[in-house]
Amino acid sequence: MLPSRPYVIGTVVVLILFIVGFYIQNPELIFTAKQEPQINLTQICSQKLIDKSIQLEHCERKLLLKDTGVRKAAINVITPWLAPVIWDGTFNINILNDQHKETRIGLFVFAVKKYIRFLQPFLESAERFFMVGHKVTYYVFTDKVSDVVKPKIANGRVLQLHEVTADQRWQDVSMRRMDTLQVFTKEHMPKEIDYLICADVDMVFNDHMGVEILGDLVATLHPGFFLSEPESFSYERRPISAAYIPHGQGDFYYMAALYGGKVEEIYKLSMACQKGITEDKKKNIEAVWQEESHLNKYLVYNKPTKVLSPEYLWATGLPHGEFIKKIRFLAVDKNHNEVRN
Ligand code: 5GW
Ligand code: MN
């Protein structure tokens, strides 16, 4: 007997509904034929690696270097613990400026003995490039307050001059900064500012340095080591020093000429570094790169929440590849014998 007509129609309808339902659940099957051919990322990467005039925008930085001896992680825009590495092109300054309208920022700098000569160009260039349009307090420490030439300072910005004693040994001058930081980040700064940036004075601001550098704990890649393997970092390697970092540990070599963070974080950092410096002094030793060694030690175990690319720390005459688009903060080419005696 043949199936009745309603039975046939019913079966066909069920079949159609089944097919339609299947494709609704698996839409990619419908469009398979229309899909673009798959992009071959490996091919693109290798083309970029061959191309010498590579554009350094955004995530392309990861593809940059063709020299296999060079550490690729060094040009990442993010650390393995997911802290951003700040390069030109990785941020939108207008969004960040809006977020930081009310933020109060401190800039801490020592200018003792002959280094007082660097202060005026430092401050004048800061007025041009450092946190322009924001609330800034300069915390200047010097042994001769009366010798300071005060530059013209924009509205909303304040210069505080503080007297410090000049240590005999240059190593102590540089390390005294931690001791001073420890006091000021506890007693004065918490009421006055939200973030503190600490800098060397033998520097000039040379391009924009704004709120993109603010974070809980911020450190800067040393321009001489950002392409190096960790084994060659000049960490303190003697176990007797409090700044000791064993081989196999540590992520980057940070330069002590620029770091910062929330006042509370810099308090913790300066406490820890000063403690290490004092412990070493008791043993009659000194870390290989003084407070920079202690800073690096601290940052191995307290990872920075933001890392600044060497755009934020470059040295006069240091050759740079295409990957440094902006030199924002530049170490002055100083005559060591002249300024240190
Ligand atoms: C003097 C002689 C040798 C090394 C440092 C000094 C020195 C450093 C000084 O006489 N006065 C002084 O204020 N400083 C502070 O320490 C400055 O803020 C200076 O930028 C900072 C670090 O010393 P630098 O800049 O000589 O260290 P490098 O590593 O940049 O050469
Ligand atoms: Mn310096």
Side-chain angles (χ1 to χ4, degrees):
M1 205 175 84
L2 286 171
S4 68
R5 186 181 275 196
Y7 182 79
V8 172
I9 293 170
T11 311
V12 170
V13 168
V14 167
L15 212 67
I16 290 169
L17 284 176
F18 178 78
I19 292 166
V20 169
F22 176 79
Y23 277 108
I24 285 173
Q25 283 186 4
N26 303 280
E28 71 279 6
L29 296 179
I30 299 175
F31 301 111
T32 306
K34 287 188 181 168
Q35 267 182 358
E36 295 293 323
Q38 283 286 309
I39 295 166
N40 184 342
L41 266 183
T42 327
Q43 199 185 337
I44 289 178
C45 291
S46 53
Q47 273 169 9
K48 293 241 180 239
L49 292 176
I50 292 161
D51 183 359
K52 280 194 178 165
S53 59
I54 293 159
Q55 283 288 304
L56 276 176
E57 296 286 356
H58 305 282
C59 46
E60 282 185 351
R61 290 181 194 286
K62 288 182 206 153
L63 314 174
L64 177 68
L65 297 163
K66 61 181 184 143
D67 180 349
T68 49
V70 162
R71 192 170 169 238
K72 289 207 181 82
I75 42 142
N76 273 354
V77 291
I78 198 150
T79 69
W81 58 94
L82 304 180
V85 186
I86 312 304
W87 294 89
D88 190 43
T90 59
F91 57 91
N92 178 323
I93 194 60
N94 298 327
I95 297 173
L96 297 173
N97 277 338
D98 274 355
Q99 289 178 344
H100 283 286
K101 275 185 185 141
E102 297 307 316
T103 303
R104 300 162 305 167
I105 305 139
L107 182 57
F108 170 95
V109 70
F110 250 54
V112 170
K113 297 198 274 194
K114 289 190 176 173
Y115 276 55
I116 205 160
R117 70 180 62 180
F118 296 116
L119 189 59
Q120 198 183 348
F122 176 93
L123 291 172
E124 280 175 0
S125 61
E127 282 296 295
R128 286 185 64 203
F129 295 115
F130 181 77
M131 304 289 171
V132 175
H134 292 274
K135 295 173 183 164
V136 171
T137 304
Y138 297 105
Y139 294 90
V140 173
F141 294 81
T142 179
D143 55 335
K144 279 198 216 84
V145 169
S146 54
D147 283 6
V148 171
V149 181
K150 289 184 193 166
K152 200 175 172 307
I153 287 178
N155 276 346
R157 300 165 82 101
V158 187
L159 174 64
Q160 286 189 15
L161 290 175
H162 298 274
E163 186 116 11
V164 281
T165 46
D167 287 284
Q168 282 295 308
R169 293 175 64 247
W170 64 262
Q171 294 92 337
D172 290 330
V173 172
S174 168
M175 289 193 292
R176 178 163 297 278
R177 293 184 291 177
M178 284 297 176
D179 193 19
T180 311
L181 264 181
Q182 186 183 202
V183 174
F184 271 73
T185 49
K186 184 159 192 263
E187 290 174 9
H188 304 264
M189 292 167 177
K191 291 176 254 103
E192 299 173 352
I193 50 169
D194 305 301
Y195 293 90
L196 181 65
I197 304 301
C198 308
D200 269 14
V201 75
D202 58 338
M203 310 282 305
V204 286
F205 295 87
N206 184 64
D207 208 322
H208 168 94
M209 190 191 291
V211 293
E212 75 279 2
I213 72 164
L214 301 179
D216 283 11
L217 183 59
V218 184
T220 314
L221 299 179
H222 192 298
F225 288 99
F226 75 107
L227 299 176
S228 308
E229 292 293 335
E231 276 311 289
S232 63
F233 293 166
S234 58
Y235 290 153
E236 174 57 67
R237 298 297 193 183
R238 295 168 302 167
I240 191 174
S241 169
Y244 169 58
I245 300 172
H247 285 280
Q249 289 194 31
D251 317 283
F252 301 107
Y253 190 78
Y254 304 104
M255 194 171 179
L258 185 70
Y259 59 92
K262 286 253 172 77
V263 174
E264 170 76 14
E265 287 301 324
I266 300 303
Y267 173 64
K268 288 193 259 174
L269 177 152
S270 57
M271 282 273 284
C273 292
Q274 187 54 31
K275 187 165 169 277
I277 291 169
T278 313
E279 278 173 25
D280 279 7
K281 267 197 196 303
K282 279 189 197 143
K283 293 180 191 160
N284 246 330
I285 55 164
E286 187 170 272
V288 58
W289 290 105
Q290 296 85 37
E291 84 286 355
E292 186 168 87
S293 306
H294 293 277
L295 175 74
N296 272 281
K297 167 75 179 260
Y298 183 81
L299 294 170
V300 173
Y301 305 105
N302 304 270
K303 305 278 192 220
T305 60
K306 189 175 270 188
V307 173
L308 306 182
S309 73
E311 290 171 10
Y312 292 87
L313 259 185
W314 205 257
T316 306
L318 187 64
H320 57 89
E322 301 137 277
F323 39 86
I324 301 293
K325 278 203 177 168
K326 287 193 170 157
I327 296 178
R328 302 171 189 278
F329 197 36
L330 184 63
V332 176
D333 196 9
K334 59 186 183 240
N335 179 337
H336 286 251
N337 290 333
E338 199 195 331
V339 290
R340 291 184 172 181
N341 294 313

